[in-house]
Amino acid sequence: PSTSTMTSNEPHDLQCLTIGELEQHAAVHMDKQTRDYYNEGADSGSTLLENSQAYDKYRIRPRVLRDISLIDTSVPVFGARNSIPLGIAPTAMQCLAHPDGEIATAKACKKAGMVMGLSSFATTTLENVATASD
């Protein structure tokens, strides 16, 4: 059972672009126990800190009046074409954050043409995730 206050029909906040904004969004939509689970890093939390620091290094530099009609950002990944050189990392217990959990992530990845890793601590079976991404 999900402890999230978010429903599957609720629209996504398209203004939520930074880790700080995501944390504020979670404070409104998740109970404290679920937020604490996601905010807590394993062991000493070093990977969580490194990931946050790495994310903070990226900046979006707008480029205007450029011809982008022929840009191809796709890359080969495991013999398939990925739309961008990124993928979705395995995240445990996604149904704690949203009732659709890994199924929604798989559908979004399929729609975006991206790869997704499935956590060994997923709240949805591998078979159901695979079916959702067909």
Side-chain angles (χ1 to χ4, degrees), residues 13-29:
D13 181 357
L14 299 178
Q15 300 306 310
C16 185
L17 302 174
T18 68
I19 297 296
E21 290 168 345
L22 185 60
E23 288 170 343
Q24 290 171 0
H25 190 76
V28 172
H29 294 285

Side-chain angles (χ1 to χ4, degrees), residues 73-75 82-87:
T73 60
S74 67
V75 294
N82 211 49
S83 63
I84 60 174
L86 300 171

Side-chain angles (χ1 to χ4, degrees), residues 4-131:
S4 170
T5 60
M6 204 168 180
T7 66
S8 356
N9 297 327
E10 192 170 327
H12 296 283
D13 181 357
L14 299 178
Q15 300 306 310
C16 185
L17 302 174
T18 68
I19 297 296
E21 290 168 345
L22 185 60
E23 288 170 343
Q24 290 171 0
H25 190 76
V28 172
H29 294 285
M30 290 181 170
D31 61 62
K32 182 180 180 336
Q33 182 178 2
T34 303
R35 270 193 329 272
D36 288 349
Y37 173 79
Y38 283 109
N39 289 336
E40 195 175 273
D43 298 323
S44 66
S46 60
T47 302
L48 180 63
L49 177 63
E50 289 172 10
N51 287 343
S52 293
Q53 289 172 339
Y55 188 86
D56 287 341
K57 290 179 183 177
Y58 288 97
R59 299 287 182 266
I60 297 175
R61 294 186 306 171
R63 308 264 175 125
V64 296
L65 301 174
R66 307 238 180 198
D67 181 9
I68 59 166
S69 62
L70 300 176
I71 292 177
D72 179 10
T73 60
S74 67
V75 294
V77 177
F78 303 123
R81 208 78 194 147
N82 211 49
S83 63
I84 60 174
L86 300 171
I88 303 301
T91 305
M93 307 286 189
Q94 289 186 31
C95 284
L96 289 177
H98 191 279
D100 297 339
E102 293 88 356
I103 297 293
T105 303
K107 287 179 178 179
C109 286
K110 168 98 174 151
K111 184 176 179 180
M114 296 175 61
V115 295
M116 169 193 171
L118 186 64
S119 172
S120 56
F121 291 103
T123 47
T124 308
T125 66
L126 174 63
E127 293 80 9
N128 287 345
V129 173
T131 299

